[in-house]
Amino acid sequence: MSPTPAGPFVKQTRLIRAARRAVYDAWTLPEIFMKWWGPADHVVSGVELDVREGGALCFTDDALPHASVPPGYPRSMTGSGVYTEVVPGERLQFTMKASWNPGEASLITVTFRDAEGGTEITILHEKIAADTVHLFEAGWASTLGKLAALFAA
């Protein structure tokens, strides 16, 4: 078990009804990543993933015209970071800086585990401000819903 993170964090677990390799590929192959990343009513208009320790990731996430966006947040944002740990099929960890909050560098850890009926995926999003926890909770729930829907089709 991992120690409990210091400071505010979001942790969510979801069963994805697909083989672990396919779920891992959804996180590491740009052509698949673009199909599901981001909250509902958002689309990825660009992505670069250099999935190796020290490799960079960058994506642009755009709210669709009808999407609701929290007050003070842009309709288009860029997220960027660096992979700090890559264990193929098991674990991805990367830093994240969002254009809407340039002073914050958070840390995201994604673990993949075989489970009955598919793959259990756990997201741990650390080093976030207390006043953004509710936004990340909603965002991850929606994002993981889109990932699950990708494999339900």
Side-chain angles (χ1 to χ4, degrees):
M1 295 225 13
S2 300
T4 301
F9 68 94
V10 171
K11 184 175 183 178
Q12 293 188 13
T13 299
R14 182 104 181 217
L15 177 68
I16 307 296
R17 299 205 174 277
R20 188 187 331 183
R21 182 73 217 182
V23 178
Y24 181 80
D25 285 350
W27 283 82
T28 59
L29 299 176
E31 63 273 17
I32 303 172
F33 185 93
M34 289 184 78
K35 294 178 180 179
W36 66 272
W37 179 263
D41 298 332
H42 288 236
V43 295
V44 174
S45 58
V47 63
E48 295 178 25
L49 305 173
D50 182 6
V51 186
R52 61 181 175 83
E53 290 181 19
L57 69 149
C58 184
F59 61 87
T60 301
D61 174 317
D62 301 313
L64 295 172
H66 65 276
S68 174
V69 176
Y73 288 81
R75 297 193 67 79
S76 181
M77 68 155 248
T78 299
S80 62
V82 174
Y83 291 97
T84 56
E85 184 177 0
V86 176
V87 181
E90 294 181 22
R91 183 177 165 104
L92 293 171
Q93 185 177 70
F94 51 93
T95 60
M96 181 58 58
K97 292 182 181 180
S99 60
W100 56 268
N101 192 3
E104 183 174 274
S106 60
L107 182 67
I108 299 169
T109 305
V110 185
T111 56
F112 306 85
R113 187 179 73 76
D114 291 332
E116 187 173 333
T119 301
E120 182 183 88
I121 184 171
T122 300
I123 309 292
L124 176 61
H125 195 160
E126 306 174 72
K127 300 183 180 181
I128 57 176
D131 64 347
T132 62
V133 168
H134 70 287
L135 295 172
F136 285 119
E137 285 175 342
W140 279 117
S142 182
T143 298
L144 291 176
K146 284 172 65 178
L147 179 61
L150 177 71
F151 290 104

